[in-house]
Amino acid sequence: MACHLRSVSLPSKRHSNEAEIEDELQSLEASISSPSTTIDAMSKGLRRLGCVYNHIEEIIHLPSNQVCSAQQRKMLDGEMECSLELIDLCSAMQENFTELKTIIQDLQMVLWRGDDAASIQVKIQSFTRLSKKAQKQCKKISKKSTSDNEDCKLVRLLIKARTITISLLESTLCHLSQQLVVPKRSLVSKAFQKKRSVVCEEEQLQALMCITGDLEHGAEILFRRMIQSRVALLNNLSS
Protein backbone atom coordinates (compact mmCIF):
# COMPACT_ATOMS: atom_id res chain seq x y z
CA MET A 1 0.00 0.00 0.00
CA ALA A 2 1.29 3.44 -0.91
CA CYS A 3 2.32 5.75 1.88
CA HIS A 4 0.08 8.71 2.57
CA LEU A 5 3.08 11.01 2.95
CA ARG A 6 5.25 12.25 0.16
CA SER A 7 8.87 11.14 0.30
CA VAL A 8 10.99 14.25 0.76
CA SER A 9 14.71 13.95 1.33
CA LEU A 10 16.12 17.37 0.47
CA PRO A 11 17.20 19.43 3.50
CA SER A 12 15.46 22.48 2.02
CA LYS A 13 12.13 20.66 2.43
CA ARG A 14 12.71 19.73 6.07
CA HIS A 15 10.08 22.02 7.63
CA SER A 16 7.32 21.15 5.14
CA ASN A 17 8.01 17.46 5.63
CA GLU A 18 7.73 17.83 9.40
CA ALA A 19 4.42 19.62 8.89
CA GLU A 20 3.14 16.73 6.77
CA ILE A 21 4.09 14.23 9.45
CA GLU A 22 2.38 16.30 12.13
CA ASP A 23 -0.77 16.55 9.99
CA GLU A 24 -0.77 12.79 9.42
CA LEU A 25 -0.34 12.12 13.14
CA GLN A 26 -3.22 14.45 13.96
CA SER A 27 -5.39 12.67 11.38
CA LEU A 28 -4.49 9.30 12.88
CA GLU A 29 -5.22 10.55 16.40
CA ALA A 30 -8.68 11.75 15.32
CA SER A 31 -9.40 8.43 13.59
CA ILE A 32 -8.41 6.37 16.64
CA SER A 33 -10.44 8.45 19.08
CA SER A 34 -13.57 8.45 16.92
CA PRO A 35 -16.44 6.40 18.44
CA SER A 36 -17.24 5.09 14.97
CA THR A 37 -13.75 3.81 14.21
CA THR A 38 -13.50 0.25 12.91
CA ILE A 39 -11.02 -2.61 12.99
CA ASP A 40 -10.37 -1.98 9.30
CA ALA A 41 -9.48 1.65 10.05
CA MET A 42 -7.07 0.46 12.72
CA SER A 43 -5.45 -1.95 10.28
CA LYS A 44 -4.91 0.92 7.86
CA GLY A 45 -3.69 3.02 10.77
CA LEU A 46 -0.86 0.56 11.45
CA ARG A 47 0.37 0.90 7.88
CA ARG A 48 0.00 4.68 8.00
CA LEU A 49 2.12 4.74 11.15
CA GLY A 50 4.71 2.64 9.32
CA CYS A 51 4.89 5.40 6.73
CA VAL A 52 5.20 8.02 9.46
CA TYR A 53 8.18 6.24 11.00
CA ASN A 54 9.73 5.92 7.56
CA HIS A 55 9.60 9.69 7.15
CA ILE A 56 10.84 10.28 10.68
CA GLU A 57 13.86 8.15 9.75
CA GLU A 58 14.48 10.44 6.75
CA ILE A 59 14.39 13.48 9.04
CA ILE A 60 16.81 11.85 11.49
CA HIS A 61 19.33 11.44 8.64
CA LEU A 62 19.27 15.15 7.77
CA PRO A 63 22.48 17.03 8.73
CA SER A 64 20.33 19.68 10.42
CA ASN A 65 19.18 17.08 12.94
CA GLN A 66 22.60 16.06 14.20
CA VAL A 67 22.73 16.14 18.00
CA CYS A 68 24.47 19.31 19.09
CA SER A 69 23.61 19.81 22.76
CA ALA A 70 23.61 17.84 25.98
CA GLN A 71 19.89 18.56 26.45
CA GLN A 72 19.01 17.16 23.02
CA ARG A 73 21.10 14.08 23.69
CA LYS A 74 19.32 13.52 27.02
CA MET A 75 15.89 13.78 25.42
CA LEU A 76 16.81 11.51 22.52
CA ASP A 77 18.37 8.97 24.89
CA GLY A 78 15.02 8.86 26.66
CA GLU A 79 13.23 8.23 23.37
CA MET A 80 15.73 5.46 22.57
CA GLU A 81 14.65 3.65 25.73
CA CYS A 82 10.97 4.18 25.00
CA SER A 83 11.37 3.03 21.40
CA LEU A 84 12.79 -0.30 22.54
CA GLU A 85 9.78 -0.91 24.77
CA LEU A 86 7.48 0.07 21.93
CA ILE A 87 9.20 -2.33 19.53
CA ASP A 88 8.79 -5.13 22.09
CA LEU A 89 5.10 -4.26 22.39
CA CYS A 90 4.64 -4.33 18.62
CA SER A 91 6.34 -7.74 18.50
CA ALA A 92 3.94 -8.99 21.20
CA MET A 93 1.04 -7.68 19.13
CA GLN A 94 2.17 -9.73 16.14
CA GLU A 95 2.17 -12.82 18.37
CA ASN A 96 -1.35 -11.95 19.56
CA PHE A 97 -2.59 -11.69 15.98
CA THR A 98 -1.01 -15.04 15.13
CA GLU A 99 -2.69 -16.59 18.18
CA LEU A 100 -6.03 -15.12 17.16
CA LYS A 101 -5.72 -16.58 13.65
CA THR A 102 -5.18 -20.01 15.21
CA ILE A 103 -8.31 -19.58 17.33
CA ILE A 104 -10.33 -18.57 14.28
CA GLN A 105 -9.09 -21.62 12.35
CA ASP A 106 -10.13 -23.85 15.26
CA LEU A 107 -13.56 -22.21 15.34
CA GLN A 108 -13.94 -22.83 11.62
CA MET A 109 -13.13 -26.51 12.13
CA VAL A 110 -15.70 -26.71 14.90
CA LEU A 111 -18.29 -25.15 12.61
CA TRP A 112 -17.52 -27.46 9.72
CA ARG A 113 -17.36 -30.68 11.74
CA GLY A 114 -19.90 -29.88 14.42
CA ASP A 115 -17.47 -30.96 17.16
CA ASP A 116 -17.68 -29.99 20.79
CA ALA A 117 -15.81 -26.70 21.25
CA ALA A 118 -15.12 -26.57 24.98
CA SER A 119 -11.39 -26.31 24.27
CA ILE A 120 -11.98 -23.22 22.13
CA GLN A 121 -13.19 -21.35 25.19
CA VAL A 122 -9.84 -22.04 26.82
CA LYS A 123 -8.04 -20.60 23.79
CA ILE A 124 -10.25 -17.54 23.72
CA GLN A 125 -9.52 -16.99 27.39
CA SER A 126 -5.82 -17.38 26.60
CA PHE A 127 -6.07 -14.69 23.91
CA THR A 128 -7.93 -12.44 26.35
CA ARG A 129 -5.14 -12.84 28.88
CA LEU A 130 -2.54 -12.00 26.23
CA SER A 131 -4.55 -8.93 25.26
CA LYS A 132 -4.80 -7.72 28.84
CA LYS A 133 -1.06 -8.22 29.31
CA ALA A 134 -0.34 -6.16 26.18
CA GLN A 135 -2.78 -3.47 27.33
CA LYS A 136 -0.89 -3.23 30.63
CA GLN A 137 2.31 -2.75 28.61
CA CYS A 138 0.58 0.03 26.67
CA LYS A 139 -0.38 1.82 29.86
CA LYS A 140 3.13 1.42 31.27
CA ILE A 141 4.80 2.92 28.22
CA SER A 142 2.22 5.72 27.96
CA LYS A 143 3.28 6.95 31.41
CA LYS A 144 6.72 7.84 30.08
CA SER A 145 7.69 11.49 29.80
CA THR A 146 5.83 13.43 27.12
CA SER A 147 7.49 16.81 27.43
CA ASP A 148 6.72 19.20 24.57
CA ASN A 149 10.13 20.77 24.00
CA GLU A 150 9.96 23.56 21.44
CA ASP A 151 13.71 23.42 20.80
CA CYS A 152 13.74 19.90 19.38
CA LYS A 153 11.03 19.14 16.84
CA LEU A 154 12.47 15.68 16.24
CA VAL A 155 11.80 14.75 19.87
CA ARG A 156 8.27 16.13 19.61
CA LEU A 157 7.61 14.02 16.52
CA LEU A 158 8.98 10.90 18.18
CA ILE A 159 6.88 11.46 21.31
CA LYS A 160 3.73 12.11 19.27
CA ALA A 161 4.29 9.03 17.11
CA ARG A 162 4.92 6.91 20.20
CA THR A 163 1.78 8.17 21.93
CA ILE A 164 -0.43 7.50 18.92
CA THR A 165 1.14 4.08 18.31
CA ILE A 166 0.35 3.03 21.88
CA SER A 167 -3.20 4.33 21.59
CA LEU A 168 -3.76 2.50 18.30
CA LEU A 169 -2.39 -0.81 19.57
CA GLU A 170 -4.43 -0.62 22.76
CA SER A 171 -7.64 0.25 20.89
CA THR A 172 -7.05 -2.59 18.45
CA LEU A 173 -6.73 -5.09 21.29
CA CYS A 174 -9.94 -3.84 22.91
CA HIS A 175 -11.89 -4.12 19.66
CA LEU A 176 -10.62 -7.62 18.92
CA SER A 177 -11.44 -8.83 22.42
CA GLN A 178 -14.97 -7.50 22.05
CA GLN A 179 -15.37 -9.30 18.74
CA LEU A 180 -14.70 -12.59 20.50
CA VAL A 181 -16.34 -12.34 23.89
CA VAL A 182 -18.99 -9.64 24.05
CA PRO A 183 -22.58 -10.91 23.59
CA LYS A 184 -24.67 -9.34 20.81
CA ARG A 185 -21.55 -7.82 19.22
CA SER A 186 -19.54 -11.02 19.13
CA LEU A 187 -18.55 -12.85 15.97
CA VAL A 188 -18.96 -15.95 18.10
CA SER A 189 -22.71 -15.60 18.59
CA LYS A 190 -24.72 -17.20 21.40
CA ALA A 191 -21.52 -18.81 22.62
CA PHE A 192 -21.52 -21.93 24.75
CA GLN A 193 -25.13 -23.02 24.57
CA LYS A 194 -26.20 -26.30 26.25
CA LYS A 195 -25.67 -28.67 23.32
CA ARG A 196 -23.59 -26.65 20.90
CA SER A 197 -20.81 -24.70 22.55
CA VAL A 198 -20.17 -22.28 19.69
CA VAL A 199 -22.57 -21.09 17.03
CA CYS A 200 -21.04 -18.81 14.43
CA GLU A 201 -21.37 -17.86 10.81
CA GLU A 202 -18.61 -19.05 8.48
CA GLU A 203 -18.53 -15.79 6.57
CA GLN A 204 -18.15 -13.82 9.78
CA LEU A 205 -15.21 -15.94 10.85
CA GLN A 206 -13.64 -15.59 7.42
CA ALA A 207 -14.04 -11.81 7.63
CA LEU A 208 -12.36 -11.81 11.04
CA MET A 209 -9.56 -14.00 9.68
CA CYS A 210 -8.96 -11.55 6.84
CA ILE A 211 -8.86 -8.48 9.06
CA THR A 212 -6.60 -10.25 11.56
CA GLY A 213 -4.23 -11.06 8.71
CA ASP A 214 -4.29 -7.41 7.69
CA LEU A 215 -3.56 -6.36 11.28
CA GLU A 216 -0.69 -8.83 11.47
CA HIS A 217 0.77 -7.48 8.24
CA GLY A 218 0.33 -3.87 9.38
CA ALA A 219 2.02 -4.62 12.71
CA GLU A 220 4.90 -6.28 10.85
CA ILE A 221 5.40 -3.19 8.67
CA LEU A 222 5.25 -0.91 11.71
CA PHE A 223 7.69 -3.17 13.59
CA ARG A 224 10.28 -2.99 10.78
CA ARG A 225 9.93 0.77 10.33
CA MET A 226 10.30 1.43 14.06
CA ILE A 227 13.49 -0.64 14.13
CA GLN A 228 14.87 1.28 11.15
CA SER A 229 14.12 4.65 12.74
CA ARG A 230 15.65 3.48 16.03
CA VAL A 231 18.84 2.39 14.24
CA ALA A 232 19.00 5.77 12.50
CA LEU A 233 18.58 7.54 15.83
CA LEU A 234 21.25 5.35 17.43
CA ASN A 235 23.67 6.20 14.62
CA ASN A 236 22.83 9.87 15.07
CA LEU A 237 23.60 9.73 18.78
CA SER A 238 26.81 7.76 18.15
CA SER A 239 28.21 10.16 15.58
Side-chain angles (χ1 to χ4, degrees):
M1 177 175 291
C3 291
H4 294 261
L5 302 171
R6 294 190 299 273
S7 177
V8 181
S9 58
L10 293 177
S12 61
K13 295 293 185 180
R14 171 176 174 256
H15 295 295
S16 62
N17 198 37
E18 286 176 349
E20 288 176 7
I21 295 175
E22 289 175 347
D23 288 345
E24 178 71 343
L25 287 171
Q26 289 177 357
S27 174
L28 275 165
E29 187 174 35
S31 176
I32 296 167
S33 60
S34 171
S36 60
T37 191
T38 63
I39 290 289
D40 183 59
M42 293 179 182
S43 173
K44 292 175 181 176
L46 291 171
R47 293 191 289 272
R48 290 170 66 185
L49 272 172
C51 289
V52 166
Y53 275 99
N54 184 56
H55 284 266
I56 288 177
E57 180 192 354
E58 292 178 357
I59 289 179
I60 291 172
H61 284 304
L62 295 176
S64 54
N65 275 312
Q66 298 303 303
V67 179
C68 57
S69 73
Q71 179 65 17
Q72 285 182 339
R73 180 172 295 277
K74 181 179 179 181
M75 290 186 296
L76 291 173
D77 279 339
E79 281 308 303
M80 283 289 293
E81 179 182 348
C82 291
S83 70
L84 186 58
E85 293 179 330
L86 196 56
I87 287 169
D88 288 342
L89 176 61
C90 192
S91 177
M93 288 291 292
Q94 291 182 72
E95 294 177 4
N96 284 2
F97 295 145
T98 301
E99 176 70 16
L100 180 56
K101 286 169 65 178
T102 300
I103 292 172
I104 296 170
Q105 289 172 345
D106 289 341
L107 286 170
Q108 288 175 322
M109 292 302 296
V110 167
L111 181 65
W112 294 334
R113 298 188 308 201
D115 294 343
D116 178 76
S119 62
I120 302 302
Q121 171 68 344
V122 176
K123 293 189 176 184
I124 291 176
Q125 290 173 344
S126 175
F127 174 78
T128 302
R129 285 193 296 270
L130 287 172
S131 295
K132 289 181 178 179
K133 181 179 179 181
Q135 288 176 50
K136 287 182 179 179
Q137 288 179 272
C138 288
K139 289 179 172 60
K140 178 182 176 181
I141 301 173
S142 65
K143 292 179 181 179
K144 300 290 184 179
S145 173
T146 56
S147 173
D148 292 326
N149 190 286
E150 297 292 338
D151 296 330
C152 190
K153 289 187 176 181
L154 176 58
V155 173
R156 289 172 53 198
L157 285 177
L158 289 168
I159 290 174
K160 188 67 172 179
R162 167 165 56 87
T163 301
I164 293 175
T165 299
I166 294 168
S167 179
L168 177 58
L169 294 177
E170 187 173 14
S171 296
T172 301
L173 286 169
C174 290
H175 276 66
L176 283 176
S177 295
Q178 289 172 350
Q179 293 289 331
L180 285 173
V181 301
V182 176
K184 297 181 180 180
R185 294 181 61 186
S186 175
L187 287 178
V188 183
S189 61
K190 298 180 181 178
F192 313 111
Q193 293 181 345
K194 292 181 180 178
K195 294 185 178 180
R196 297 188 64 184
S197 297
V198 178
V199 179
C200 49
E201 295 292 337
E202 183 178 346
E203 60 270 19
Q204 290 177 304
L205 285 175
Q206 188 58 43
L208 182 56
M209 175 66 83
C210 289
I211 193 62
T212 303
D214 288 342
L215 287 167
E216 185 180 39
H217 181 61
E220 181 184 357
I221 291 173
L222 178 58
F223 177 77
R224 292 200 308 265
R225 296 288 171 77
M226 285 195 297
I227 288 178
Q228 290 169 355
S229 67
R230 188 176 191 276
V231 169
L233 185 56
L234 179 61
N235 290 337
N236 187 316
L237 289 168
S238 301
S239 60

